[in-house]
Amino acid sequence: MTRIGFVRHGITDWNLENRIQGQTDIPLNDTGRKQAHALANRLKGEEWDVLYASDLIRARETAEIVAAAMGVSVRTDPRLREMNCGAVEGTTQEERIARWGENWKSLPLNIESKESIVDRGLSFTSYLLANYQDSSVLVFSHGALLRLTLKQLIPQVDTRERLRNSAITTLVHFAGSWDCELYNCTKHIS
């Protein structure tokens, strides 16, 4: 049995401004750091064998705060990065409409495909299953990558609810199938 806790990073100023972050390296804000500390307090008494994070600062910093409370280190993997949002990174909805019109989503703006994001997420998950059997792994990443990956791993679960900042979703892999123990939980900050 392999247990994986998928965590979305703490909040950033761009989250609050509704700006698309994508792979732009935006740090946590003070609230995001408080969310990470609250998550660390929640998880420090649990058994987690290894922590992985996206190499983008907002996910890595969230992971490092949790890891410090547990006395473990964080490994990074670029497959855990947020989707590359191309030309729209750093923009708000209003700015996108002003720049490209109402149908901006249909334009070739160099945005990474959903298939590419899912491939990265599933590739990393397969890596964990191959290398951490009978282990518990915490994975710190980003909203789009996590949402699209989880949709593939647990199609029986309604994953339409937007993942909240610092939320944890816990899956267990046993006998070739996935079971969702916890979805989008933020009781540490609620």
Side-chain angles (χ1 to χ4, degrees):
M1 180 179 86
T2 303
R3 182 172 175 239
I4 304 176
F6 293 97
V7 179
R8 184 179 179 209
H9 62 80
I11 202 164
T12 70
D13 286 340
W14 278 21
N15 287 134
L16 294 175
E17 296 167 8
N18 291 312
R19 291 189 183 280
I20 292 180
Q21 293 178 109
Q23 293 187 3
T24 303
D25 212 6
I26 303 302
L28 297 176
N29 62 20
D30 288 341
T31 302
R33 288 181 193 94
K34 288 176 186 172
Q35 291 173 335
H37 283 288
L39 180 64
N41 286 333
R42 173 184 178 177
L43 297 177
K44 69 181 174 186
E46 297 182 13
E47 290 294 323
W48 294 97
D49 301 306
V50 65
L51 276 66
Y52 272 93
S54 158
D55 58 351
L56 297 177
I57 187 67
R58 58 194 183 268
R60 195 175 71 239
E61 186 178 5
T62 304
E64 287 169 351
I65 289 169
V66 172
M70 296 177 159
V72 298
S73 60
V74 176
R75 301 168 191 198
T76 59
D77 193 300
R79 289 176 289 186
L80 295 172
R81 285 183 179 182
E82 181 60 291
M83 73 183 292
N84 183 331
C85 292
V88 302
E89 288 193 14
T91 64
T92 63
Q93 176 74 356
E94 295 79 22
E95 291 168 341
R96 291 187 293 280
I97 291 170
R99 202 173 291 171
W100 298 292
E102 291 281 342
N103 296 319
W104 64 269
K105 287 183 180 180
S106 66
L107 298 175
L109 297 170
N110 202 29
I111 298 171
E112 183 178 7
S113 71
K114 288 181 180 179
E115 294 78 18
S116 173
I117 300 162
V118 168
D119 286 348
R120 286 194 287 117
L122 294 179
S123 168
F124 183 75
T125 304
S126 294
Y127 167 80
L128 292 182
L129 292 177
N131 291 282
Y132 296 100
Q133 291 181 17
D134 299 319
S135 298
S136 293
V137 183
L138 271 175
V139 175
F140 295 80
S141 189
H142 307 269
L145 182 128
L146 292 175
R147 183 183 72 253
L148 293 168
T149 302
L150 290 168
K151 187 175 181 178
Q152 294 297 309
L153 297 176
I154 50 170
Q156 71 277 16
V157 175
D158 183 357
T159 57
R160 289 177 292 179
E161 180 184 12
R162 185 172 184 202
L163 294 172
R164 294 181 294 274
N165 289 100
S166 83
I168 183 167
T169 297
T170 307
L171 305 186
V172 173
H173 187 265
F174 182 74
S177 65
W178 291 98
D179 183 41
C180 183
E181 291 184 331
L182 188 66
Y183 184 77
N184 201 18
C185 183
T186 56
K187 72 178 184 181
H188 50 282
I189 59 171
S190 298

